[in-house]
Structures are given as structure tokens and as C-alpha cells.
Amino acid sequence: MDFNKFYWHDSVIKEIRIDRNNPGIADTIILEIKSDGQGLIDFQFEDVYWAKFTLNFGVVAQETILNAFVLDDNDSDLVGFYSKWKGAMDSVKLKCYLINLNSTGGVIKIISKSIRVISK
């Protein structure tokens, strides 16, 4: 499933899990998403190197997604990540994922090696 082609609008985030049972070896973030017509799907970001969650709470509503994208290689956070590693990570191909939230105006941004999509 192509991340950019998934129909994100008004999909509901049911759960966010961060798995650091094997830190530095297998850092994973899982978003459980409920999408009309697709049911429950886990978007499992694997080999996560960086994440930023700007979440707002206290709103009595399901957290829905406005849109989501894989950003291009010149994203400032991705460029900044590589810069901080001073060349040590230059051979590692990472992608930057952006998820804009509808209900609360929050933002999720994840830099990882790969993503696995699991239908439930």
C-alpha cells in the first residue's frame, strides 16, 4: 500500500504504540487506524530514528486525520537529522512521514527506514 495514496481524510486514530523493547535495534511506532471501507489497519513504522508528536488533549471527539504524506528529502527535520549525525548516517536511506490531525490540529512526524501496513 502506497502511503501517499491511502485515503487518510477522516480516518480515526484508535491507538498509538511506541515499542522500545529492543532500543536502538528495533524502535517501532504503530498507529492503529480505522478507515471507512478498509477496517482496522496498523501502520507500523520500523527502524524509527526520530519522531515528533504535537498532540492536543481534552477535546471530546475521535482523533481524525486531515491528511498524510511522505515528505521529500529536503524536509528540514530530515536534513537536520542527517546533519546532526555528521556523516555517520549518510548511507542510511530514511523517509519522513507527516500526519496532520483534524480534530485537534495536532501533527505527527516520523523519520524511519520503512513502514509495514497490516490489515486486521
Side-chain angles (χ1 to χ4, degrees), residues 20 24 27 52-53 59 63 65 87 95 97-98 100 102 108-112 114-115:
R20 297 234 341 135
D27 297 311
K52 181 178 181 180
F53 295 82
V59 175
E63 186 65 83
I65 297 171
K95 291 185 178 180
Y97 301 88
L98 177 69
N100 292 305
N102 236 357
I108 298 171
K109 200 168 189 182
I110 299 170
I111 295 174
S112 71
S114 61
I115 186 169

Side-chain angles (χ1 to χ4, degrees), residues 68-85:
F69 308 97
V70 178
L71 299 173
D72 56 29
D73 290 342
N74 66 359
D75 173 73
S76 62
D77 289 317
L78 186 57
V79 170
F81 172 84
Y82 281 117
S83 176
K84 286 179 186 176
W85 279 86

Side-chain angles (χ1 to χ4, degrees), residues 34-96:
K34 184 172 188 318
S35 175
D36 286 341
Q38 305 246 0
L40 280 176
I41 299 172
D42 279 353
F43 285 86
Q44 185 169 319
F45 299 86
E46 299 176 332
D47 296 315
V48 174
Y49 282 85
W50 181 93
K52 181 178 181 180
F53 295 82
T54 306
L55 303 175
N56 299 297
F57 296 91
V59 175
V60 182
Q62 293 184 327
E63 186 65 83
T64 60
I65 297 171
L66 176 63
N67 53 39
F69 308 97
V70 178
L71 299 173
D72 56 29
D73 290 342
N74 66 359
D75 173 73
S76 62
D77 289 317
L78 186 57
V79 170
F81 172 84
Y82 281 117
S83 176
K84 286 179 186 176
W85 279 86
K86 301 183 189 289
M89 294 292 293
D90 286 356
S91 64
V92 179
K93 177 64 177 151
L94 300 172
K95 291 185 178 180
C96 188

